[in-house]
Amino acid sequence: TTQIPDARWNASYQGRSGVITNAVGLLQHVYSRLIPIDPNRKYRIRLGFHTNGVVTATIPSLYVGFTCWENETTSVGASGGHVYVSGWSAPSAGTSGWFDVSSNVISGSAATSAGKTFITGTNFVRVLAFLNYNNHNPTQIYGLDYLFIEDVTESEAAAAQAGIATAQAGIATTQAT
């Protein structure tokens, strides 16, 4: 178990168990342990979060990303290897509830990253979420149910093959008529 300093862990929150929240209106950083990765494989970051609906849809205040590490003690890249993948808020202003979202595919490496690659030299990552980033709203509360990075190399390849098969079936049907 990773201890998260100053985290607000809740045994039960909005119908889910073991949820981390920010204190009302305050920023809460959440980082995972170091996770080994292979930059040649494909990954997605997935998270489930709750918002109380006071955030506006135009100002993302839940930022998600990762930090890049060469080894267990050395980060790579600027700003301690921080890479921001995306910012989320409720789908529309005033919407409260639980949302399950995932990032775009992250794969490969480059000297700098715009959230689609790892920084050159990355062998480990720490997945991160910043709840109420920049304290955008003094009454905003986020609940974080889960946050993880998932290797999707095989599922992405299977989806691509399924798409090709569907297209080929359509062509065969057209040619048969």
Side-chain angles (χ1 to χ4, degrees), residues 16 21 31 35 60 73 77 92 97 125 127 145 149 151 156 166:
R16 295 195 184 176
T21 61
Y31 288 88
I35 301 166
T73 59
S92 61
V125 296
V127 183
D145 185 27
I149 190 166
D151 186 330
E156 288 289 313
T166 300

Side-chain angles (χ1 to χ4, degrees), residues 96-118:
S96 64
W98 284 102
F99 301 93
D100 299 297
V101 296
S102 66
S103 71
N104 291 322
V105 171
I106 306 160
S107 185
S109 59
T112 59
S113 175
K116 296 180 181 173
T117 61
F118 299 100

Side-chain angles (χ1 to χ4, degrees), residues 100-159:
D100 299 297
V101 296
S102 66
S103 71
N104 291 322
V105 171
I106 306 160
S107 185
S109 59
T112 59
S113 175
K116 296 180 181 173
T117 61
F118 299 100
I119 298 172
T120 302
T122 300
N123 296 310
F124 297 88
V125 296
R126 283 184 200 256
V127 183
L128 64 88
F130 295 167
L131 312 179
N132 205 27
Y133 185 70
N134 286 336
N135 300 325
H136 277 299
N137 192 308
T139 59
Q140 177 62 48
I141 302 173
Y142 279 107
L144 183 63
D145 185 27
Y146 61 87
L147 171 68
F148 62 90
I149 190 166
E150 174 182 37
D151 186 330
V152 295
T153 305
E154 283 76 19
S155 61
E156 288 289 313

Side-chain angles (χ1 to χ4, degrees), residues 49-66:
F49 71 92
H50 184 277
T51 175
N52 61 353
V54 298
V55 68
T56 63
T58 58
I59 304 174
S61 59
L62 172 62
Y63 275 81
V64 176
F66 53 91

Side-chain angles (χ1 to χ4, degrees), residues 72-88:
E72 293 182 7
T73 59
T74 308
S75 63
V76 293
S79 301
H82 281 79
V83 175
Y84 297 99
V85 174
S86 189
W88 285 289

